[in-house]
């Protein structure tokens, strides 16, 4: 076809399918209550007219940096969450260019940013309109989901490491928020203490001598978590997502209802460090605990294969971690993983009842002595999920003294 004719045809086609006018906009919450703590996230439904006169419905996601309480305001200011997320979306565009350069035809692992107002508003494409969905409340990943999740995370880490080698990765990233925030450590400690008390009162008496061994102090909590903030430059380090639990991942399914694609959301807590930080977070706050325990090595090998294959695909010339380094990293962060299972897994399991089960103001005012409802610790809900993790935590981190 003649070049001028082709140009004319494409211009007409693109004009006909482009937005001409927005007729109306409706806004509604995009995520369920208690599933987003750092932003207000709404879905905008647009009735629009295209260049060819056709009326269509479109949708977008808008994130607003509103701070309804003092904790959110302080947290967003301390960790510069909105600026960090905008910086990440700018970086993700560079990764898309990298994918084009190496003819990587796998799906991208994020949604596209449409617009932002520095640094209070971000407009994003709506992945729900493309068939992506979040896991149901109280549901965690089976093996198919877990393997796809760590494969996706391996790709994500590999692409960012390649970008780092080119001097194009995000700059100025600090340690992970979970390691240097003593107020967060206090809540972990109070949640652990409340769990111990709940188990003693509500579970079978055979659990009492087990949880009584949990004698770790708040100071020990602080010291253990702050120690993780130290960057080991002799090891393989990457740009971490920083918050890759199941509520920040959306999934697309094939004809057989098996997961075929995943996208990561919320890049407000990115940091630089061991890839095992992201991996541990995902293992303990996205994967079903039984699936994690029964398939730990398989899931870990799947991640490592994805990471190394991605680095090879992009011709990365630096040192690549072997599987033993990844295993050692997971062992290093096992305290963090088991601690997350015992303190945050119950919250994720019953997030729709969080306000009923935890009165955060009362917890803070009484330093964890009040504010927890017994329903949050009932054994029929928790024992099969975290019972083995309680035993593992006691065996590995609690002395008999």
């Amino acid at each position: 076809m003649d070049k001028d004719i082709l140009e004319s045809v494409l211009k007409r086609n693109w004009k006909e399918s482009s937005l001409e006018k927005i007729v109306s906009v409706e806004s509604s919450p995009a995520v369920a209550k208690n599933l987003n703590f750092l932003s207000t996230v709404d879905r905008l439904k647009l009735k629009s007219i295209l260049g060819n006169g056709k009326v269509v419905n479109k949708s977008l996601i808008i994130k607003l940096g509103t701070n309804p309480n003092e904790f959110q305001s302080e947290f967003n200011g301390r960790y510069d969450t909105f600026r960090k997320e905008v910086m990440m979306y700018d970086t993700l565009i560079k990764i898309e260019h990298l994918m084009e350069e190496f003819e990587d035809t796998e799906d991208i692992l994020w949604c596209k940013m449409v617009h932002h107002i520095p640094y209070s508003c971000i407009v994003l494409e709506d992945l729900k309109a493309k068939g992506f969905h979040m896991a149901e409340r109280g549901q965690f990943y089976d093996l198919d989901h877990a393997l796809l999740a760590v494969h996706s995370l391996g790709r994500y880490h590999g692409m960012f490491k390649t970008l780092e080698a080119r001097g194009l990765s995000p700059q100025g990233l600090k340690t992970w928020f979970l390691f240097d925030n003593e107020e967060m450590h206090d809540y972990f400690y109070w949640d652990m203490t409340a769990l111990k008390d709940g188990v003693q009162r509500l579970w079978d008496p055979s659990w009492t001598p087990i949880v009584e061994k949990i004698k770790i102090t708040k100071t020990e909590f602080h010291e253990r978590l702050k120690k993780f903030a130290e960057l080991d430059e002799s090891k393989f380090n990457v740009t971490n997502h920083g918050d890759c639990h199941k509520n920040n991942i959306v999934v697309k399914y094939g004809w057989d209802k098996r997961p075929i694609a995943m996208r990561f959301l919320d890049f407000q807590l990115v940091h630089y460090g061991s890839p095992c930080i992201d991996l541990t977070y995902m293992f303990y706050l996205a994967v079903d605990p039984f699936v994690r325990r029964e398939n730990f090595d398989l899931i870990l090998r799947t991640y490592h294969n994805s990471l190394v294959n991605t680095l090879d695909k992009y011709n990365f010339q630096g040192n690549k971690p072997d599987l033993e380094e990844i295993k050692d990293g997971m062992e290093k962060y096992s305290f963090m993983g088991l601690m997350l299972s015992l303190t945050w897994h119950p919250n994720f399991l019953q997030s729709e009842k969080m306000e009923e089960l935890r009165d955060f103001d009362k917890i803070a005012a009484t330093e964890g002595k009040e504010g927890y409802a017994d329903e949050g610790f009932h054994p029929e809900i928790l024992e099969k999920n975290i019972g083995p993790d309680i035993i593992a935590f006691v065996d590995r981190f609690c002395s008999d003294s």
Side-chain angles (χ1 to χ4, degrees), residues 91 94-95 98 158-169:
T91 304
K94 298 174 185 176
I95 291 185
L98 188 72
M159 289 188 285
F160 266 96
K161 192 65 178 180
T162 305
L163 212 62
E164 178 188 335
R166 296 185 173 197
L168 298 174
S169 60

Side-chain angles (χ1 to χ4, degrees), residues 30 34 75 77 106 109 113 134 143 149 158 180 196 209 228 269 283 285 294 297 301 308 327 334 337 351 383 388:
N34 295 327
F75 191 97
E106 284 197 71
L109 297 167
M113 182 173 68
M134 191 180 296
L143 185 57
D180 71 348
K196 176 181 175 180
F228 290 140
L269 298 173
F283 265 52
L285 293 181
E294 291 295 309
D297 287 345
R301 288 198 307 273
V308 172
K327 287 183 177 180
S334 59
S351 59
E383 185 173 358

Side-chain angles (χ1 to χ4, degrees), residues 175 178-186 188-189 216-230 332-333 335-336 339 397:
T175 188
L178 217 55
F179 296 154
D180 71 348
N181 190 321
E182 290 196 0
E183 292 180 3
M184 295 289 292
H185 300 173
D186 287 347
F188 287 135
Y189 179 76
I216 188 168
T217 67
K218 187 163 41 172
T219 299
E220 288 176 298
F221 247 87
H222 291 320
E223 294 306 314
R224 278 186 174 273
L225 291 173
K226 285 193 288 188
K227 191 172 179 60
F228 290 140
E230 300 170 5
K332 173 181 177 180
Y333 294 103
F335 175 86
M336 181 187 85
M339 180 270 295
F397 304 111

